[in-house]
Amino acid sequence: HTHCVHHTNPSIITTTTTHYTHPHNTLDSFDSPSRMSESATVVVLPGDVLADLSAQDVDAEEGAEESSAKRVRLGPGVQQGVAADGSCLLVAMKAGLARTRGRSHWVDSNQKRAVPVLNEPLIGIVTGTKGEGYSVDVGANLPALLGALAFEGATKRNRPHLEVGDLVYARFSAADRDMEPEIECIDASGRSAGFGPLKDGLMLACSLGLCRRLLRADSRVLAKLGERLQFELAVGLNGRVWIRADTAARTILISNAIKASEFLRPKQVDRLVKTLFDNE
């Protein structure tokens, strides 16, 4: 590759013109698909059994490190269930492509409604204040709560002041289907790690499937765009992408390329990017 991606957060991308390395989205619940070379891809429907864990049980007498290495990791769209005979199964909870890598299992789907998942990054829109915090639209069925002190180094006297309509890049710190989700602009260690208010730029709404593909190491459209210009990109796994380039025209050009690339093959993506820049 001929361009580089530097990042302080797994889903924030800044391109320059040297070589290319891709960020990976680190989720606690499973090994991210960003670096995965999938060993299987199967179309599944809700209720389909993906795997029988009874044959993969870990011996209780094994050491902690060995036991951890054999632990099954569940990603989006997969849930643990129990069969009538008491065996432990992995069951698909949504329609899509079931993928596996080692002992990690998840389902890729192209839905548009975001479902809060603990620690997943998101791009939110401030819709108002709520107590000492902010109410943020995250594209889910309920707005999320962003605490006024949920920023690195924030105090009651020194904290960001957000206005209605401002964009924030954050992660889900609490995600329960029966409760209002909570978000914060710091990572698990209390550092900003790229999270925080997003200034200027353009927000693009797209499918969750496209967002996950943008985080993959083989994202063709980002590789080709990075060969031609510098830009910043933040990917939220709630169906939103934030883009900022040196000019408004180039920002729009990048957004058009990303949106149009969703259902294109690699060679078609190459022609698309070439055509857009030839006509710039």
Side-chain angles (χ1 to χ4, degrees):
H1 296 283
T2 58
H3 72 288
C4 177
V5 173
H6 300 289
H7 57 95
T8 55
N9 182 273
S11 301
I12 287 192
I13 302 170
T14 305
T15 65
T16 58
T17 53
T18 51
H19 61 282
Y20 177 78
T21 55
H22 189 80
H24 69 278
N25 177 37
T26 54
L27 305 183
D28 287 351
S29 55
F30 77 115
D31 290 340
S32 165
S34 314
R35 299 177 293 164
M36 290 185 177
S37 55
E38 295 81 14
S39 59
T41 301
V42 180
V43 178
V44 295
L45 296 174
D48 287 353
V49 176
L50 305 182
D52 185 349
L53 297 184
S54 302
Q56 305 181 34
D57 288 342
V58 178
D59 190 340
E61 296 181 357
E62 291 179 341
E65 293 184 2
E66 191 173 352
S67 174
S68 178
K70 291 187 176 182
R71 186 177 302 157
V72 174
R73 299 179 182 274
L74 306 184
V78 181
Q79 183 170 312
Q80 181 176 327
V82 179
D85 60 0
S87 59
C88 187
L89 306 175
L90 292 186
V91 182
M93 300 303 295
K94 61 176 69 173
L97 299 177
R99 301 184 185 272
T100 64
R101 177 183 179 268
R103 298 177 68 85
S104 298
H105 304 263
W106 75 98
V107 175
D108 272 345
S109 61
N110 216 28
Q111 67 190 58
K112 291 190 175 181
R113 168 59 66 89
V115 178
V117 177
L118 185 65
N119 288 325
E120 277 197 350
L122 66 108
I123 296 175
I125 305 172
V126 177
T127 57
T129 58
K130 190 171 185 179
E132 293 187 356
Y134 301 94
S135 179
V136 180
D137 172 23
V138 295
N141 59 331
L142 291 173
L145 175 64
L146 173 63
L149 303 181
F151 300 85
E152 182 180 15
T155 63
K156 289 187 176 181
R157 292 186 177 182
N158 180 25
R159 62 187 183 185
H161 293 280
L162 303 177
E163 302 291 339
V164 173
D166 285 354
L167 299 179
V168 292
Y169 191 63
R171 70 178 183 93
F172 286 108
S173 57
D176 190 298
R177 62 183 179 182
D178 298 321
M179 298 176 61
E180 183 182 52
E182 297 179 11
I183 62 176
E184 56 188 14
C185 293
I186 50 177
D187 62 13
S189 62
R191 298 185 177 182
S192 65
F195 293 120
L198 297 175
K199 302 297 184 182
D200 303 322
L202 172 70
M203 190 191 77
L204 172 67
C206 54
S207 69
L208 302 186
L210 177 57
C211 288
R212 293 193 180 276
R213 286 195 291 276
L214 290 175
L215 289 173
R216 296 173 58 90
D218 57 354
S219 175
R220 188 77 170 193
V221 66
L222 293 186
K224 290 300 176 180
L225 288 171
E227 291 176 356
R228 294 177 174 268
L229 77 166
Q230 300 180 18
F231 61 93
E232 292 178 274
L233 182 81
V235 180
L237 293 180
N238 61 332
R240 293 171 180 171
V241 177
W242 173 82
I243 307 161
R244 182 172 67 184
D246 55 352
T247 66
R250 287 190 169 184
T251 299
I252 295 173
L253 184 148
I254 293 168
S255 69
N256 290 340
I258 290 174
K259 192 79 171 179
S261 70
E262 182 169 4
F263 302 108
L264 299 183
R265 296 179 178 179
K267 290 185 178 179
Q268 294 174 317
V269 172
D270 296 349
R271 290 197 294 268
L272 168 68
V273 173
K274 184 178 184 302
T275 301
L276 288 174
F277 279 91
D278 288 347
N279 297 331
E280 185 183 9

